[in-house]
Amino acid sequence: MLTMPALAGCLTSTPPAVSHWPVEFKGAGNAESAPVYGVARVSQVTVRAPYGAEGIAVMRSGGTLETDAYNLFAAAPALLLKGVVFDALTASGKFSAVVNSSSSAVSAVSVEVMVTRLALDCREGGGRKAVAETLLRLVRGGEIVFAATGEGEADAAAGNYGASFSRAVSAALSEALGEIK
């Protein structure tokens, strides 16, 4: 009789699996002949609330924002996107080199990136798309020497949110970096 309650848990249905999605830089390199700036240091990558949680934010048609409990980013977005920003800066061809914030190398500029939107947009009739918006600032000697925004989106109907967010974030960063002259 005591084994019956212990076995009861085995008879329930299995909950859906939780997916953890990576985000990678998926942009093309720039064949520009000479960098516009010297060494760039990735000093700060932040993600504006409420988009900074590991649970993917889902924008609904009624104006609400939900969190998907079964589709998560592989790490907190601010941490996950540091590598994406590093790779985007490197591929842009706008800098002679790119270093992380912990590097002892001397840098010409510091790069600050704020992700102002990172969500799955489900507001239009059953469609799903990954959307990203970024604000990129270059700072030299405490002064902002350049600032630009970028937007990106990618179809997410197939359910591969890692690939969709990779394309959306890469497009947003590439658009902002493309403004550097």
Side-chain angles (χ1 to χ4, degrees), residues 18-95:
V18 175
S19 298
H20 295 86
W21 299 99
V23 179
E24 302 169 334
F25 180 67
K26 296 292 184 185
N30 189 344
E32 192 171 310
S33 60
V36 178
Y37 289 93
V39 176
R41 177 181 314 282
V42 179
S43 67
Q44 186 178 78
V45 177
T46 59
V47 179
R48 182 180 284 172
Y51 306 107
E54 285 184 39
I56 293 175
V58 180
M59 299 162 45
R60 301 283 184 200
S61 61
T64 63
L65 189 69
E66 310 296 332
T67 301
D68 188 333
Y70 297 104
N71 288 288
L72 310 174
F73 289 112
L79 294 174
L80 189 62
L81 296 178
K82 282 184 180 185
V84 177
V85 168
F86 185 94
D87 294 344
L89 294 172
T90 301
S92 75
K94 306 286 183 172
F95 308 97

Side-chain angles (χ1 to χ4, degrees), residues 98-136:
V98 179
V99 297
N100 286 317
S101 61
S102 61
S103 173
S104 61
V106 175
S107 62
V109 292
S110 293
V111 180
E112 299 175 353
V113 173
M114 176 185 284
V115 178
T116 56
R117 180 170 293 188
L118 185 66
L120 190 63
D121 189 345
C122 296
R123 294 179 292 182
E124 294 182 21
R128 285 180 289 173
K129 60 185 175 184
V131 295
E133 295 175 6
T134 59
L135 168 61
L136 179 133

